Amino acid sequence: MHEMAIARNIVNIAVAAAEKEGATKITRINVVAGELRGIVPEQLTFSFGLMAENTIASGAYLNLEITPVVCRCRKCQDEFVVKGYHYLCTKCGSQDVETLSGMGLRVKDIEVD
Amino acid sequence: MKINVMTDILEANDRIATANSEAFKENGNLVLNLISSPGSGKTSLLEKTGDALKGKLRLGVIAGDIETMRDSERLQKHKIPAVQLTTGSACHLDANMVASALPHVDLKKTDVLVIENVGNLVCPAEFKVGEDHKIVILSVTEGDEKPLKYPLVFRESSLLLINKIDLLKYTNFNLKEAKANARRVHPDLEIIDVSCVTGEGMDEWIAWLNRQYQKKFGTKPRA
């Protein structure tokens, strides 16, 4: 249930950003999470609902965008999407690959009234 | 109205982790975040490690559990200084919990500090606590497919210890398959087979610890 800790942080970040702009109600929060984070969307939505209670984020729609794991092969420089956590260059078969994305976890933007 | 935010959700945690890490460096601590399922042998490994390091590197432990002081009591019997963190219901240790334990650890008298995380292969992988390395333990009674089911922790760890290797003949655990699965998610993962019962692999594990200590501080550990 690390979704609970993540949901609490999302609420804190969104509320702080909204208050800074003088907003009183958050209607939507756009979150981008890398696939490697292994977030269960249903659990995050549920946890978010609990954490947002009695804040200006209460009732806001939490939009979760999952970004794929993208790697670059150090041998042939090809970039590819990792499927099934198989870290293998799809072009030359090398295992010497670096992760470019798929670990991110951020609040991208919010919509407020 | 739309407001751009672009804030890392774990930023608050990572900031504290960085502060912890600076304190560890200043005090000469190699710090390892030990992660595994419940019952894979984290505490047994630490008991054996403490015995093996006696008179060499000084081991200290921060043990995280949802309830009870049992782990720290077991370690204290082996003269390993241990601080117990009970997390209540939290399924992982975060940087702030570890920071709260630090005043109770004599960092100046510790060379290797192991943070024994809550038994769980999922959540602890997400939260940096200021460690130099994550180490994952997989015991042969758990199944060789675990790296594919819980890829993040295997991806994030520097070392995989395959524990209870003495029980291999009583299980259908395929050692070759387990290693191939782990290296599928992390091609250059280091792997050591160990048994806390027979002592197999312990020398290799202790050598790994010494190597990491030397790499971080550039000095030979006290022989």
Side-chain angles (χ1 to χ4, degrees):
Chain A
M1 276 298 279
H2 62 295
E3 279 81 359
M4 198 62 98
I6 290 170
R8 188 178 56 227
N9 290 352
I10 291 174
V11 172
N12 290 343
I13 290 166
V15 168
E19 283 176 347
K20 209 171 135 196
E21 299 291 327
T24 52
K25 177 95 191 113
I26 300 170
T27 53
R28 182 183 172 105
I29 302 176
N30 291 313
V31 168
V32 183
E35 193 192 346
L36 261 176
R37 290 290 180 172
I39 287 173
V40 182
E42 295 78 8
Q43 260 186 31
L44 186 65
T45 307
F46 173 75
S47 304
F48 171 74
L50 290 179
M51 289 297 165
E53 264 177 36
N54 303 315
T55 75
I56 59 170
S58 175
Y61 176 69
L62 181 71
N63 177 52
L64 182 65
E65 182 194 333
I66 306 275
T67 53
V69 183
V70 177
C71 280
R72 182 194 292 133
C73 174
R74 288 201 183 96
K75 286 237 165 77
C76 74
Q77 306 301 321
D78 195 43
E79 285 180 20
F80 57 98
V81 172
V82 172
K83 292 207 176 95
Y85 303 105
H86 204 163
Y87 287 82
L88 197 67
C89 176
T90 45
K91 203 168 163 191
C92 75
S94 167
Q95 283 203 317
D96 188 12
V97 300
E98 60 178 320
T99 309
L100 299 179
S101 65
M103 268 303 281
L105 185 59
R106 38 181 79 229
V107 175
K108 189 174 157 200
D109 50 46
I110 59 174
E111 284 168 31
V112 297
D113 276 345
Chain B
M1 182 176 77
K2 192 178 241 185
I3 302 172
N4 269 329
V5 185
M6 290 312 278
T7 300
D8 196 302
I9 291 169
L10 296 178
E11 191 195 26
N13 181 75
D14 292 352
R15 222 175 19 238
I16 302 168
T18 304
N20 288 350
S21 149
E22 279 160 12
F24 295 143
K25 196 168 175 203
E26 205 179 297
N27 286 290
N29 317 125
L30 173 72
V31 181
L32 308 168
N33 184 357
L34 189 59
I35 302 175
S36 79
S37 316
S40 64
K42 288 187 293 299
T43 311
S44 298
L45 177 85
L46 291 175
E47 289 172 335
K48 291 280 173 198
T49 305
D51 293 345
L53 288 178
K54 260 261 149 90
K56 295 168 189 157
L57 290 171
R58 295 164 298 182
L59 179 66
V61 176
I62 295 174
D65 264 309
I66 288 177
E67 279 298 342
T68 87
M69 308 295 275
R70 289 202 178 189
D71 281 2
S72 56
E73 286 162 9
R74 275 177 61 185
L75 294 166
Q76 279 152 6
K77 276 191 193 143
H78 288 256
K79 308 246 179 323
I80 302 167
V83 176
Q84 185 84 46
L85 273 177
T86 48
T87 60
S89 62
C91 47
H92 60 269
L93 294 179
D94 62 29
N96 196 37
M97 285 186 242
V98 169
S100 75
L102 294 187
H104 309 286
V105 184
D106 195 345
L107 291 179
K108 290 256 178 264
K109 290 186 178 164
T110 305
D111 299 315
V112 179
L113 178 67
V114 175
I115 296 165
E116 185 184 350
N117 222 307
V118 179
N120 178 345
L121 282 176
V122 187
C123 315
E126 293 278 347
F127 296 84
K128 289 182 195 137
V129 296
E131 71 274 31
D132 296 299
H133 299 281
K134 288 186 178 67
I135 296 177
V136 59
I137 303 183
L138 171 64
S139 62
V140 302
T141 49
E142 293 166 55
D144 45 42
E145 80 294 8
K146 290 293 174 290
L148 301 181
K149 284 190 176 168
Y150 306 97
L152 184 61
V153 67
F154 290 89
R155 180 81 193 153
E156 290 278 292
S157 294
S158 308
L159 174 69
L160 161 64
L161 293 171
I162 301 186
N163 192 22
K164 306 188 189 178
I165 205 78
D166 52 301
L167 296 181
L168 200 55
K169 53 183 179 286
Y170 304 110
T171 68
N172 59 0
F173 187 93
N174 184 327
L175 192 57
K176 222 174 127 187
E177 189 71 24
K179 290 180 183 179
N181 287 340
R183 290 203 165 116
R184 186 169 140 176
V185 298
H186 187 168
D188 43 15
L189 178 66
E190 289 190 73
I191 304 177
I192 304 175
D193 305 342
V194 293
S195 164
C196 297
V197 175
T198 65
E200 186 182 338
M202 286 305 289
D203 289 350
E204 208 184 325
W205 154 237
I206 298 296
W208 187 91
L209 278 178
N210 280 319
R211 237 179 7 253
Q212 301 310 323
Y213 184 84
Q214 221 167 317
K215 240 187 238 169
K216 183 169 181 182
F217 297 108
T219 47
K220 275 210 184 314
R222 298 173 307 143

